[in-house]
Amino acid sequence: MTHAQVTDKHPGELADVPGWFPALDQTLFTWFLEQQTKAGIKGDLLELGVYMGKSAILLGHHLEDGERFTVCDLFEGDAPDDANQAESAQSYASLTQQAFERNYLSFHDVLPTVITGPSSLVDEKVSPDSCRFIHIDASHLYEHVYGDIGAAHDILLPEGVVVLDDFRSEHTPGVSVAAWEAVLNRGLRPICLSTQKMYATWGDPEPLQEELLAMLRLRTDVGLSVQEAAGHRLIRTRSRGMKPPPFPLSRHYEEPAPAPAPAPEAASSAARPARPAPSAARRLAKDLLPPLVTRAVRRARAKRS
């Protein structure tokens, strides 16, 4: 993971918001949320760890009437332990609640419910069995991710989807251990894997897997494979030049200035094909023809006189 560029400007489109949210995961988030809406599944949304708000902005776009969206992050606050404080200082020193709110409100009229503090506060403030979609992208330390998964289990609806970020990255082994431990020992069932995230449920993953496979097999911009491991079917996905799904522009979006039109003379000069360079034979004829003609004229005059 590299540090995202921080900007004080209002974003004009989602791509302008700093953060790590690849096109493949934007596509999968959108698909899962739209599938829930089509199936009539109602419930709240929750994100643990928001950084500058890129994924939260997309989640907020899928909030239905009567649903609640909650986000939780330390922002400028103190971490609950020294290891988490060091992690926050190293990777998220530039994160502020003001920056998150500025970015979010560029796309939405109302902020989500914001919990400022460690993710351990969430199960006290979010009701059990209330959420249909949870994105966990907070601390990468094993103890914290273990707790976040436990909280998600209690908060998520039986048919809800939980997404674990950085479950396979080399710099986040704590997430990997906690994620696969939950699969092996805590009843979590994977739906699919992207390059960065695991999509899973404590319900039955098979109906969603069949619908997801049907959608992905129609696309040419995604690599797809299916494997079995420890009794779980794992759908593996990777981007092949995938573009992000369409997303509404920010209220601060400005059309790019049109490129200046070329000057008329320059345009006509550019339109006229270049004259080819004379060949060697033509250059020789040009040099020799005038003297030859002159000699022939002189001879004709001499004969007449």
Side-chain angles (χ1 to χ4, degrees):
M1 180 177 69
T2 57
H3 294 286
Q5 183 181 1
V6 179
T7 175
D8 293 329
K9 295 180 180 178
H10 290 283
E13 49 191 323
L14 190 61
D16 296 333
V17 180
W20 308 272
F21 196 26
L24 173 58
D25 288 302
Q26 291 184 42
T27 299
L28 290 173
F29 268 51
T30 301
W31 185 85
F32 278 106
L33 291 161
E34 289 180 348
Q35 287 298 112
Q36 289 181 333
T37 300
K38 290 176 185 176
I41 298 173
K42 289 286 188 178
D44 297 335
L45 309 178
L46 172 64
E47 181 166 77
L48 309 183
V50 300
Y51 192 55
M52 295 290 174
K54 197 164 194 171
S55 54
I57 291 166
L58 187 146
L59 283 169
H61 182 62
H62 294 272
L63 195 65
E64 300 289 335
D65 291 341
E67 295 179 339
R68 181 185 182 193
F69 182 23
T70 302
V71 302
C72 177
D73 207 295
L74 284 173
F75 296 112
E76 303 98 313
D78 294 329
D81 54 62
D82 292 342
N84 195 192
Q85 185 66 42
E87 176 189 32
S88 180
Q90 178 179 359
S91 299
Y92 310 110
S94 58
L95 173 60
T96 66
Q97 187 168 345
Q98 181 183 18
F100 164 75
E101 293 181 356
R102 178 196 64 227
N103 291 335
Y104 192 90
L105 290 174
S106 294
F107 296 85
H108 300 286
D109 296 330
V110 181
L111 285 170
T113 299
V114 179
I115 300 173
T116 304
S119 55
S120 57
L121 297 174
V122 167
D123 57 358
E124 302 173 8
K125 298 180 179 294
V126 181
S127 301
D129 298 322
S130 63
C131 288
R132 61 183 171 98
F133 194 97
I134 299 176
H135 181 212
I136 299 177
D137 188 13
S139 172
H140 296 134
L141 303 175
Y142 167 77
E143 295 80 3
H144 295 281
V145 181
Y146 182 95
D148 292 344
I149 293 173
H153 173 270
D154 296 337
I155 293 169
L156 199 66
L157 290 165
E159 66 272 33
V161 173
V162 61
V163 185
L164 300 173
D165 184 64
D166 278 334
F167 81 102
R168 62 185 291 181
S169 300
E170 62 181 358
H171 68 288
T172 58
V175 182
S176 300
V177 174
W180 291 116
E181 181 183 54
V183 171
L184 295 174
N185 301 325
R186 305 173 76 184
L188 186 64
R189 306 181 70 181
I191 301 169
C192 72
L193 313 175
S194 71
T195 307
Q196 287 188 219
K197 302 181 189 290
M198 174 191 290
Y199 297 74
T201 183
W202 276 279
D204 181 5
E206 188 170 348
L208 273 175
Q209 286 182 323
E210 292 302 322
E211 292 174 349
L212 179 62
L213 284 169
M215 182 274 289
L216 293 174
R217 283 170 176 156
L218 295 176
R219 301 186 64 127
T220 59
D221 57 357
V222 60
L224 180 64
S225 65
V226 180
Q227 298 182 8
E228 297 282 337
H232 295 277
R233 179 166 67 162
L234 307 176
I235 298 175
R236 298 177 59 241
T237 61
R238 66 185 183 281
S239 172
R240 288 180 172 171
M242 182 179 285
K243 303 297 183 185
F247 194 80
L249 297 172
S250 154
R251 67 182 80 251
H252 303 288
Y253 178 79
E254 296 180 2
E255 289 283 350
E265 296 163 356
S268 92
S269 171
R272 195 166 50 240
R275 182 175 295 174
S279 65
R282 289 177 62 193
R283 289 197 302 270
L284 183 62
K286 184 178 179 182
D287 293 339
L288 296 179
L289 188 58
L292 292 174
V293 171
T294 302
R295 290 175 189 168
V297 170
R298 286 177 180 170
R299 288 197 191 103
R301 286 177 178 171
K303 286 180 180 179
R304 285 198 300 270
S305 60

